[in-house]
Amino acid sequence: MSEIATQRLQADPEGLARGAEILRSGGLLAFPTETVYGLGGDACNDRAVARIYEAKGRPSFNPLIVHLADLDAVKALVIWSDLAEAAATAFWPGPLTMVLPLREGAPVSKLVTAGLDSLAVRMPANPVARALLTEFGGPVAAPSANRSGRISPTRAEHVLDTLDGRIEGVLDGGRCDVGLESTILGLAGKPTLLRPGRIGIETLSEVLGRPVMERKDREQISAPGQLSSHYAPRARVRLNAADWQEGEARLGFGRTEGDCDLNLSPSGDLVEAAANLFEYLHRLDADGAATIAVMPVPHVGLGIAINDRLSRAAAPRD
Ligand code: TXA
Ligand code: MG
């Protein structure tokens, strides 16, 4: 990947305006929250979200947290509930993320949710984060702003240590207070603690007025297509298709000899392919084919995450 000149922006009106402009143009901007620095991109822009994964060098597509400045904006994206209201009243803005059912027609990229029908939302308390989100005026997807496998950044310099030259900008807001990622509360089903954080399970249970379950974690990795936290198409998936068979839905990549139904990237661009991946799997699945055949995707860069997801989708199911 070619180097980008990463702009260092101060948390003043000029820096905030420039930061919002970077997000609007589909660029990547690291910004401070009270937990850790986030690597932000426009959550409604498939390509911006694909670039988040590319910049992090993540070998897989985990769903991302979407950051918003106000409650009305949150409610436009997810199905709200009394429990969500109780948690929001107690902890927002603050270091709590809630996973809620995705509202139908919500404009967020399918790559943000990794194809799931739930969405992780968070309203940060950090004033620089809030000012940026207000200035930008839309949902911002942001995992921690570090290369995959490195420690989470709590200063702008930490961000630059691993992402300099890979992102358009970093908004310097000094040090993060909490230094640990937000607590994640699952409210798409029974209240479940999906990730521990500063806000503990007892406090959450008290506020919700009912017990919050611990996640029975890392179970059933042997049947990855079945994991409830992973999207898998209904159709069977056939990988590395060298030719098409009768009746299959055909998902192409790069230049193709014959026809395909959809092409992840006719020019063979992996960022474009990642941006289209979940959207196209959903579309072909909705057409009702028994099998989706997928042409080979090169196993480099973002192709590793794409292939990880495709092989989960193709894994045998019970
Ligand atoms: O403190 C934080 O939360 C930081 C700052 C930047 O806000 N962000 C952060 O984001 O840690 P990220 O993308 O690294 O965390 C995503 C976590 C993943 O572990 C993922 O599994 C979970 O949130 N998650 C996101 N969407 C989910 C969903 N729909 N269902 C279940 N888990 C979800
Ligand atoms: Mg992280």
Side-chain angles (χ1 to χ4, degrees):
M1 198 188 78
S2 56
E3 285 261 313
I4 300 167
T6 303
Q7 300 176 47
R8 280 84 167 155
L9 304 173
Q10 296 307 307
D12 54 23
E14 199 186 292
L16 288 164
R18 181 71 200 114
E21 209 177 291
I22 287 174
L23 292 173
R24 249 174 245 126
S25 63
L28 301 184
L29 177 76
F31 65 97
T33 80
E34 69 275 29
T35 58
V36 299
Y37 273 75
L39 173 54
D42 179 352
C44 300
N45 179 332
D46 291 322
R47 209 183 156 83
V49 178
R51 283 198 49 218
I52 292 177
Y53 290 103
E54 184 189 47
K56 280 190 71 86
R58 260 191 189 170
S60 61
F61 296 118
N62 294 324
L64 303 175
I65 296 171
V66 162
H67 299 65
L68 296 127
D70 71 272
L71 216 47
D72 286 341
V74 173
K75 290 176 183 173
L77 299 182
V78 293
I79 298 172
W80 203 241
S81 62
D82 291 346
L83 291 180
E85 182 73 29
T89 304
F91 303 114
W92 276 1
L96 177 74
T97 295
M98 285 191 253
V99 173
L100 291 162
L102 184 65
R103 196 175 272 288
E104 197 169 322
V108 289
S109 165
K110 279 201 168 40
L111 197 53
V112 165
T113 59
L116 296 172
D117 52 12
S118 57
L119 181 69
V121 284
R122 153 157 149 76
M123 197 191 289
N126 179 294
V128 178
R130 295 183 60 75
L132 175 74
L133 292 168
T134 304
E135 179 94 20
F136 174 60
V140 173
S144 56
N146 52 281
R147 290 276 289 170
S148 182
R150 310 290 291 277
I151 54 167
S152 294
T154 51
R155 288 177 182 279
E157 296 81 54
H158 299 165
V159 174
L160 291 168
D161 283 346
T162 67
L163 293 175
D164 196 11
R166 308 184 71 90
I167 62 178
E168 275 71 18
V170 55
L171 187 56
D172 192 344
R175 233 182 114 172
C176 306
D177 304 328
V178 178
L180 176 72
E181 277 94 343
S182 60
T183 302
I184 304 182
L185 173 63
L187 288 177
K190 283 197 186 137
T192 306
L193 184 73
L194 298 177
R195 182 173 72 185
R198 171 175 282 189
I199 300 170
I201 195 163
E202 296 82 13
T203 318
L204 286 171
S205 302
E206 227 165 83
V207 162
L208 298 184
R210 65 177 70 186
V212 172
M213 300 187 304
E214 301 254 14
R215 185 190 206 172
K216 295 188 277 317
D217 216 355
R218 290 170 251 292
E219 64 214 18
Q220 298 153 359
I221 301 291
S222 57
Q226 290 296 85
L227 276 181
S228 58
S229 60
H230 289 295
Y231 163 75
R234 207 163 20 87
R236 205 175 76 80
V237 174
R238 185 166 72 84
L239 300 178
N240 299 316
D243 50 21
W244 308 121
Q245 291 167 16
E246 188 71 30
E248 289 179 330
R250 299 160 298 180
L251 185 56
F253 175 86
R255 297 238 312 271
T256 55
E257 295 299 325
D259 285 344
C260 52
D261 295 295
L262 290 170
N263 193 321
L264 289 169
S265 171
S267 67
D269 172 1
L270 289 167
V271 174
E272 183 183 18
N276 289 329
L277 179 65
F278 289 99
E279 176 65 30
Y280 286 6
L281 285 174
H282 270 277
R283 274 199 226 164
L284 293 176
D285 210 23
D287 287 345
T291 302
I292 300 171
V294 192
M295 282 178 65
V297 174
H299 206 65
V300 291
L302 263 183
I304 295 169
I306 293 172
N307 285 326
D308 169 73
R309 178 44 44 128
L310 286 171
S311 59
R312 286 169 193 271
R317 326 229 181 109
D318 300 330

